[in-house]
Amino acid sequence: MLSRIAESLYWMGRYVERADDTARLLDVHVHRMLADATDERMGSTLIAAMGLAGSAEVSDVDLWRATELLAYDQDNPSSVAGSLRLARENARGLRETLATDVWEAINRTHHDLDAQVRAARALGPNLFFRWVGERVALLGGLIDSVVLHDDGWRFLTAGRCLERVDMTARLLAAVTTDDDASRWTSVLESCGANDAFLRTHGGEVTRERALAFLLQSEDLPRSVVFALRRAENCLAEIAVANGSPGRSVRVVGRARSELTYASAPDLVARADEVVEGLQRACQEVDELVRGRYFRRADLIEWASDIQGVGA
């Protein structure tokens, strides 16, 4: 496989997942804002969760300004609209290799994007977030059902899984030890895991249970361990096809093993360390994958380490 194609598939997967996760995060915070208008920290919490804290451009923003930056700004690769635009840009260079159904779905999403943003600005953002979730779910289903599961699919899937781990780690890093059960419920909802959590643990939400569920659940597709295992399998199969085991497989496997065999009390005691370790592992794997398989990084528009708007 050409490195250009592999890189475009990898970043297409990352941007599709980033759009979905960011829309989920914003949707939950907007609902909380409508229920509790006195919480003035929501805008700052969102900015912190996305790793944008510290930038002068986004200091002291309210929720609606944060929503504008993270939902509609197509020039911001951290935003929902920006991620969908970049996913389509990467897909456009793959038209000869990408399944027709997948290309048509992502291209249709791109062409409907401006109308959806205009409607959201006039009527409220919730319909926009629901639309994004439905489009990404359609794309995910098509990617898994009509795309040949060769190295191209593996690069795309590895990108999606690594982005999911990174976004979940960002969400967990924004929760403090002083936050109550309602905050953890919001985190579970942002990760699409609240219904599964309630079926597993009932209605008693605690920090220990929520952390263990989001990090360690082997049966939850949106848990960190599940995503790491899938990324590890994809990278291992790619490495075997290229003749030798890759360091990226060892880094992902080590991160997964440390989570799998940690006790829930230990996760709670070392939560900050665990989350920072996951973010470092994602960054290291990203650098290893790009260094080994991609040779045209300067020709692709991407942002792996988000430090400011438009980075």
Side-chain angles (χ1 to χ4, degrees):
M1 169 171 287
L2 294 174
S3 63
R4 174 184 62 82
I5 294 174
E7 182 168 18
S8 292
L9 286 165
Y10 175 79
W11 281 106
M12 176 185 157
R14 293 205 67 153
Y15 283 123
V16 166
E17 184 65 30
R18 187 177 299 177
D20 185 31
D21 292 347
T22 305
R24 289 174 180 274
L25 174 68
L26 289 167
D27 193 21
V28 171
H29 279 73
V30 169
H31 273 100
R32 283 188 64 200
M33 180 68 180
L34 295 175
D36 182 10
T38 61
D39 189 348
E40 299 177 350
R41 300 180 305 155
M42 288 189 187
S44 301
T45 301
L46 273 172
I47 294 298
M50 295 301 296
L52 300 177
S55 170
E57 297 177 66
V58 296
S59 61
D60 298 326
V61 298
D62 59 20
L63 178 64
W64 302 114
R65 175 58 179 154
T67 301
E68 185 70 28
L69 287 169
L70 296 175
Y72 312 137
D73 185 357
Q74 294 197 33
D75 295 325
N76 175 14
S78 301
S79 75
V80 177
S83 296
L84 290 176
R85 179 182 68 82
L86 289 170
R88 190 258 189 181
E89 286 300 305
N90 280 279
R92 190 170 60 173
L94 301 166
R95 292 187 63 179
E96 293 182 356
T97 59
L98 200 63
T100 301
D101 289 342
V102 175
W103 163 249
E104 289 180 352
I106 199 167
N107 195 43
R108 176 64 180 270
T109 302
H110 172 76
H111 285 295
D112 290 346
L113 183 59
D114 287 342
Q116 293 291 333
V117 169
R118 285 196 299 272
R121 283 176 169 146
L123 303 173
N126 299 99
L127 290 177
F128 176 69
F129 298 143
R130 183 177 300 177
W131 174 78
V132 171
E134 291 172 352
R135 298 306 299 178
V136 172
L138 173 64
L139 276 169
L142 289 171
I143 287 167
D144 284 338
S145 60
V146 304
V147 174
L148 187 65
H149 285 208
D150 57 4
D151 278 354
W153 176 86
R154 295 183 186 104
F155 275 113
L156 198 161
T157 302
R160 291 192 70 185
C161 291
L162 290 174
E163 186 70 25
R164 184 170 296 178
V165 172
D166 185 58
M167 290 292 289
T168 303
R170 289 177 186 276
L171 273 171
L172 295 177
V175 187
T176 69
T177 56
D178 297 328
D179 286 318
D180 57 17
S182 67
R183 181 75 178 95
W184 282 104
T185 298
S186 296
V187 173
L188 289 165
E189 289 174 347
S190 297
C191 294
N194 193 49
D195 289 342
F197 179 89
L198 294 177
R199 281 196 291 273
T200 304
H201 294 292
E204 185 180 354
V205 181
T206 65
R207 183 168 183 254
E208 181 175 312
R209 285 182 174 181
L211 264 177
F213 195 66
L214 291 173
L215 292 174
Q216 293 182 303
S217 177
E218 297 279 357
D219 300 323
L220 178 68
R222 301 196 66 85
S223 79
V224 170
V225 159
F226 192 101
L228 286 174
R229 187 183 297 282
R230 202 169 191 191
E232 181 184 1
N233 291 339
C234 289
L235 292 174
E237 291 172 1
I238 292 170
V240 169
N242 283 271
S244 64
R247 285 180 56 200
S248 58
V249 180
R250 290 196 290 273
V251 175
V252 175
R254 184 172 63 238
R256 179 188 54 76
S257 298
E258 288 175 356
L259 280 182
T260 298
Y261 297 108
S263 66
D266 184 47
L267 284 179
V268 172
R270 300 188 304 111
D272 292 342
E273 178 187 343
V274 170
V275 169
E276 290 175 7
L278 285 172
Q279 290 180 301
R280 284 197 304 272
C282 286
Q283 185 171 357
E284 184 178 358
V285 172
D286 179 75
E287 292 171 355
L288 289 169
V289 169
R290 286 191 287 116
R292 179 171 183 184
Y293 300 111
F294 309 151
R295 298 177 182 173
R296 293 167 53 90
D298 56 327
L299 300 182
I300 304 295
E301 186 178 3
W302 58 271
S304 60
D305 186 13
I306 303 161
Q307 297 296 328
V309 175

